[in-house]
């Protein structure tokens, strides 16, 4: 019911109907054919790299390399012009210098293409008359030609489901449910890379650079109605129309979580943004207030963005409250308990006391000497015995005060004291408990002296839908963001009831 | 002159003369002989592990295993009692249960030992009458017996120079100039592990647990006058005598940087600290105010502690002001520039505009399209050419406005676009430039898709005295801490002049 309610709201508040959004964005994210303008015989040329990336990614549609000089590459005929393409072209990637771009757009209009993506830079971000004039020519030709522009000065579309890779390096990951909208191609690339490293699986992403036509508000509206996208990360330097973005955020945020990183918050950052995407930034406080008003989760750096996308990928909403912290799987649980307790409390999480019953049972299991048993729980007195750690964990997970369990595993210290089979047994046990009790579990695996093992275990937890963070601080912040969004939704429900 | 001035001040304000401090602490950090009480034939017993750790670390002094049952282990005769040891014993490690501890202390007095370290737990941290009574018996016997107590409930001494490893796992690293004083054995272990991983080289460390006799104030006084220690990290849950600690901090902070992590800042953390080391914590704001008053650098988690120790290890003081940020070694410099500019500015660093001359030369070198040249500097238009990156870097390093350069190297992206030899060439070039110009250089190497390569390059930078951080945020915070301490010292100089 609530879902339908919000759906009605979305229909009402978006500028376009769902059908219009599909019509505009499907050829862009799921193109039937792609033309790449600026391919040459030089394998290191950017257009050629782009072509190779799309072929290597296994893009199933037609691919048309374009260069006035013609020729052949990777077994494909290079066509002299877009007009020579014998079929319909959905998506055009432009890598030629800005001087040659204007004529190309007439070809796009003639070919009736749907979207033109300009990797080419050298427009408004140069802050000179020539750059702005070029942008207005582009925009005018797009309006008359009936196609949309992505960019200029960007990496464009990423859609693993459609086998469209991110950028000329041809990166493509497993398709998932996370979306990103990034004004910066480099930040998009970083998000894709962190996706591989952290197990964040994207459904689609976009880097739109100067955003002279399609802007963050457009992509946000589309991702808002795209059922394949469950959470949206946004990297914003500025926008040409704050009111549109506000409206889009207000409409989409109640339906799916939006995690936003506003860059150019400071004078230093703002000057850089001016040269980067030609963005005029405004006061950081205004943006923060707008995010709060819309229920958008604001983050302050790319790591926090990745952390939040990761947790929302697995735990889209969370109705709970009480958090348990487990540390000292083999040693060092005391300091971890104190510092983790501080960090979680400072981020506004409720580290709830365990019931007296649980505390008594833990005391019988672990003994009082050397143990910390109220929560945080130091299980080091189990001396690395997987059966005892398991019993302790089950007591905590099933405590009525506990809705989410954070486990800190110092993998370097574990490997120092325990044989590898025991470490594996302990990790398999966590995964079993997660599957058995269906209560949210979050792992903290700090970097240290067993990096290869840590990477492998992180992947195993990812497969089991257990998010992994490199520090208690970052886990706490991500859970706090999850809690923030859940409270926002709860508030909306109370309002609507 | 200033150095002498402070030295006089230290002599005046410390409770002990330098000679008294040497006398008390040398047998503890540089013992001529160690006795381990509680060694058995079981190789997994904690006393036996401890013995093995000390032997494996290559401790050059005499080692005496003690157990009433006698026997032999690792080629050493197990003596039935301390009194049976035919030589002088400096340092005793106690691993037997708390019930048997009292009689042992009479033996310590009889043998005239200098320091007794209780790994044994089960005292004041249990918050029961028996625990407190035991502690007061220990203390009384120590006073009468003329020896000092470390602990109970702790890991004790770490001194790589003397080949005394940290804890029963026998960890020992390269000797350096960093000291740590940790109430928690686990946090000490984490610091040692992070030292291995991050290239922080300790001179000595101490975990003192409940601190019933020697407390943080004692160790701080000693490390304050120990010329081998250049920076001191402290992990504090509470203290028995705040006034003594305040006095020690006030005296030592002007001479060498003290980085302090106060745990138990929140109710949750404080409850855990109560069970951990029996510490009664007081309001976090009081501690923070005390740190500020003394010129102590306060950090809020263990990663920030490691980051600060790392930067102070290489850059003890820094007289500069202007910071340059370099990003986009091959791609993605735009978003990095904007976000890095924000982060550094938000941490109070001065990201100074480059001189017009430098900007013009950079513009000639890199071109304007796709570049950001005022600072942060995006060098992606060098297309990974080491010679061009080098020229750009030299321009920035030698700009009169710049005193420190932060370089972000996204190693996963570099390896994606460039052959390995070129990546190596770029990294060797950074190290050369650091050596050539003697200006502080800080590297940011974010984790990602080339973890093995990243680890290797981090080690190379470490060897070249270039501190490496995993994110721009953490680099900025560490530099801000360095700046804070440098300003504090500058203020003292102005006051004394």
């Amino acid at each position: 019911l609530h879902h339908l309610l919000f759906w009605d709201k979305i229909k009402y508040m978006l500028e376009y109907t769902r059908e219009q959004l599909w019509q505009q964005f499907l050829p862009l994210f799921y193109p039937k054919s792609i033309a790449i303008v600026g391919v040459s015989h030089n394998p290191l040329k950017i257009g050629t790299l782009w072509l190779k990336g799309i072929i290597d990614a296994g893009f199933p549609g037609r691919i048309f390399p374009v260069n006035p000089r013609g020729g052949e590459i990777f077994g494909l005929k290079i066509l002299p012009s877009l007009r020579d393409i014998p079929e319909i072209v959905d998506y055009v990637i432009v890598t030629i210098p800005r001087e040659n771009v204007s004529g190309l757009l007439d070809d796009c209009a003639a070919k009736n293409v749907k979207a033109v993506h300009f990797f080419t830079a050298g427009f408004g971000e140069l802050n000179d008359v020539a750059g702005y004039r070029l942008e207005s020519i582009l925009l005018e030709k797009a309006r008359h030609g009936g196609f949309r522009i992505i960019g200029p000065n960007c990496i464009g579309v990423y859609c693993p489901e459609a086998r469209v890779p991110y950028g000329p390096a041809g990166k493509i990951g497993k398709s998932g449910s996370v979306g990103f909208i990034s004004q910066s191609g480099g930040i998009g690339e970083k998000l894709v890379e962190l996706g591989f490293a952290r197990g964040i699986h994207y459904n689609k992403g976009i880097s739109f650079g100067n955003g002279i036509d399609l802007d963050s508000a457009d992509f946000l509206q589309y991702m808002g109605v795209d059922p394949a996208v469950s959470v949206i990360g946004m990297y914003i330097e500025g926008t040409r129309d704050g009111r549109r973005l506000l409206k889009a955020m207000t409409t989409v945020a109640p339906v799916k979580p939006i995690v936003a990183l506003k860059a150019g918050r400071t004078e230093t950052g703002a000057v850089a943004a001016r040269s980067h995407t030609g963005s005029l930034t405004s006061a950081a406080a205004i943006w923060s207030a707008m995010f709060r008003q819309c229920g958008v989760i604001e983050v302050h750096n790319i790591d926090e963005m990745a952390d939040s996308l990761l947790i929302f990928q697995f735990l889209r909403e969370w109705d709970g409250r009480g958090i348990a912290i487990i540390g000292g799987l083999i040693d060092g649980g005391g300091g971890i308990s104190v510092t983790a307790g501080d960090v979680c409390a400072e981020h506004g999480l409720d580290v709830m006391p365990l019931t007296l019953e649980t505390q008594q049972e833990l005391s019988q299991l672990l003994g009082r000497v050397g143990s910390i048993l109220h929560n945080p729980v130091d299980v080091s007195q189990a001396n690395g015995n997987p059966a005892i750690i398991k019993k302790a964990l089950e007591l905590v997970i099933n405590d009525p005060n506990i809705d989410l369990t954070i486990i800190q595993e110092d993998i370097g210290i574990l490997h120092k004291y325990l044989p590898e089979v025991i470490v594996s047994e302990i990790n398999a046990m966590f995964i079993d408990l997660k599957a058995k009790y269906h209560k949210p579990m979050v792992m903290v695996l700090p970097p240290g002296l067993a990096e290869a093992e840590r990477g492998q275990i992180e992947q195993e937890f990812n497969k089991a839908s257990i998010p992994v963070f490199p520090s208690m601080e970052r886990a706490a912040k991500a859970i706090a963001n999850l809690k923030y969004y859940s409270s926002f939704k709860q508030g909306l429900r109370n309002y609507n009831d």
Side-chain angles (χ1 to χ4, degrees), chain A:
Chain A
L1 177 74
H2 288 303
H3 185 73
L4 283 174
L5 222 154
F6 288 126
W7 190 253
D8 280 348
K9 206 168 165 189
I10 268 215
K11 269 208 297 195
Y12 176 72
M13 289 193 60
L14 292 178
E15 297 161 296
Y16 309 101
T17 65
R18 185 151 61 134
E19 287 64 35
Q20 284 171 331
L21 284 167
W22 287 124
Q23 213 178 348
Q24 276 191 62
F25 287 91
L26 283 189
L28 199 149
F29 284 108
Y30 302 88
K32 291 203 184 67
S33 55
I34 301 177
I36 302 142
V37 180
V39 172
S40 88
H41 290 283
N42 177 352
L44 289 177
K45 210 168 167 210
I46 196 76
T48 317
L49 285 173
W50 214 297
L51 173 66
K52 189 169 181 307
I54 292 172
I55 293 171
D56 289 351
F59 175 67
R62 299 295 300 267
I63 309 170
F64 303 107
V66 175
N67 190 318
R69 273 172 269 171
E72 206 185 284
I73 189 159
F74 307 136
L76 292 171
K77 198 178 166 206
I78 302 179
L79 297 160
S81 139
L82 275 179
R83 294 184 199 240
D84 298 314
I85 297 174
E87 297 173 39
I88 286 171
V89 177
D90 278 346
Y91 186 64
V92 178
I93 299 172
V94 181
T95 70
I96 56 173
R98 60 175 181 164
E99 295 75 18
N100 309 329
V101 149
S102 172
L104 176 75
L105 290 187
D106 298 327
D107 298 349
C108 290
K111 270 306 289 180
N112 204 15
V113 306
K114 304 296 189 305
V116 182
H117 153 221
F118 285 95
F119 176 71
T120 307
F123 297 87
E125 80 277 11
L126 294 184
N127 198 19
D128 62 9
V129 178
Y132 287 117
R133 204 172 47 208
L134 264 169
E135 285 192 350
S136 61
I137 292 169
L138 257 56
L139 208 49
E140 204 188 309
K141 295 213 177 208
R143 292 283 173 268
H144 282 100
F147 55 85
R148 304 304 301 257
I149 289 175
I150 305 170
N153 182 21
C154 69
I155 305 269
V157 162
Y158 176 47
C159 189
E161 206 175 7
R163 311 299 305 156
V164 178
Y166 189 71
K171 282 184 190 167
I172 189 155
K174 198 181 122 184
S175 183
S177 69
V178 178
F180 72 78
I181 298 169
S182 173
Q183 209 157 353
S184 158
I187 296 293
E189 184 152 20
K190 203 71 210 158
L191 284 175
V192 171
E193 191 186 349
L194 286 171
F196 282 105
R198 305 278 307 278
I200 304 163
H201 303 300
Y202 297 101
N203 187 272
K204 47 184 62 77
I206 186 85
S207 137
F208 64 93
N210 298 12
I212 61 168
D213 179 21
L214 289 173
D215 198 356
S216 50
D218 298 285
F219 294 108
L220 182 58
Q221 289 184 64
Y222 169 69
M223 288 197 194
V225 300
D226 182 340
V229 174
S230 71
V231 49
I232 303 162
M234 299 186 78
Y235 171 83
I236 304 165
E237 293 186 356
T239 178
R240 274 148 216 267
D241 192 340
R243 207 175 299 215
R244 275 189 79 216
L245 182 57
L246 173 66
K247 211 167 162 184
M249 283 183 162
T250 308
T251 315
V252 174
V255 185
K256 46 189 90 171
I258 302 170
V259 182
L261 171 56
K262 170 65 181 72
R265 295 187 296 273
T266 61
E267 170 97 27
T268 307
V271 170
R274 188 76 204 73
S275 301
H276 180 215
T277 54
S279 294
L280 291 170
T281 59
S282 45
I286 295 175
W287 283 89
S288 295
M290 168 174 137
F291 292 149
R292 268 196 306 276
Q293 187 188 322
C294 302
V296 167
I297 301 115
E298 184 176 13
V299 293
H300 291 88
N301 58 63
I302 202 74
D303 286 330
E304 199 192 330
M305 167 74 83
D307 291 342
S308 298
L309 294 179
L310 179 68
I311 204 159
F312 279 109
Q313 171 180 269
F314 291 131
L315 298 164
R316 197 168 142 192
E317 263 189 78
W318 179 56
D319 290 326
R321 178 160 168 253
I323 304 239
I325 302 165
I326 312 269
L329 294 181
I330 177 71
D331 197 11
I336 289 169
S337 295
V338 183
T339 53
D342 278 343
V343 160
C344 288
E346 283 171 345
H347 281 93
L349 305 183
D350 298 315
V351 185
M352 300 286 277
L354 301 174
T355 60
L356 278 179
E357 202 188 329
T358 307
Q359 288 193 43
Q360 276 160 7
E361 290 188 62
L362 280 174
S363 177
Q364 278 167 28
L365 189 66
L366 299 168
R368 281 181 69 227
V369 174
S371 294
I372 298 178
L373 303 176
H374 5 60
N375 187 19
V377 180
D378 169 13
V379 294
S380 55
Q381 294 307 309
N383 286 314
N385 182 325
I388 299 180
I389 296 176
K390 185 183 175 191
K391 272 191 200 154
L393 255 170
E394 285 187 308
L395 286 170
V396 173
I397 289 174
N398 292 318
D399 186 291
N401 292 348
I402 299 308
D403 304 307
L404 182 151
T405 305
I406 310 176
I407 303 171
Q408 172 152 344
E409 180 174 356
D410 291 84
I411 197 76
I413 294 171
L414 245 71
H415 272 278
K416 185 90 196 174
Y417 286 97
L418 294 175
E420 207 177 312
V421 283
I422 300 289
V423 179
S424 298
E425 195 181 331
I426 291 173
N427 284 315
M429 181 262 289
F430 293 147
I431 291 172
D432 286 349
L433 289 182
K434 162 73 171 61
K436 188 170 170 191
Y437 294 111
H438 303 286
K439 274 209 189 170
M441 186 186 282
V442 167
M443 295 297 304
V444 174
L445 294 178
L449 284 178
E451 284 306 281
E453 291 84 350
R454 198 175 67 90
Q456 203 198 318
I457 290 167
E458 179 166 358
Q459 284 188 10
E460 285 167 30
F461 286 132
N462 266 319
K463 272 185 219 146
S465 299
I466 301 173
V468 176
F469 298 91
S471 72
M472 188 58 75
E473 288 70 30
R474 287 174 58 180
K477 189 79 182 70
I479 298 169
N481 286 344
L482 179 69
K483 195 179 154 184
Y484 167 86
Y485 184 68
S486 304
S487 306
F488 164 70
K489 292 272 306 227
Q490 191 55 50
L492 284 180
R493 273 191 285 268
N494 294 344
Y495 179 81
N496 284 311
D497 281 348

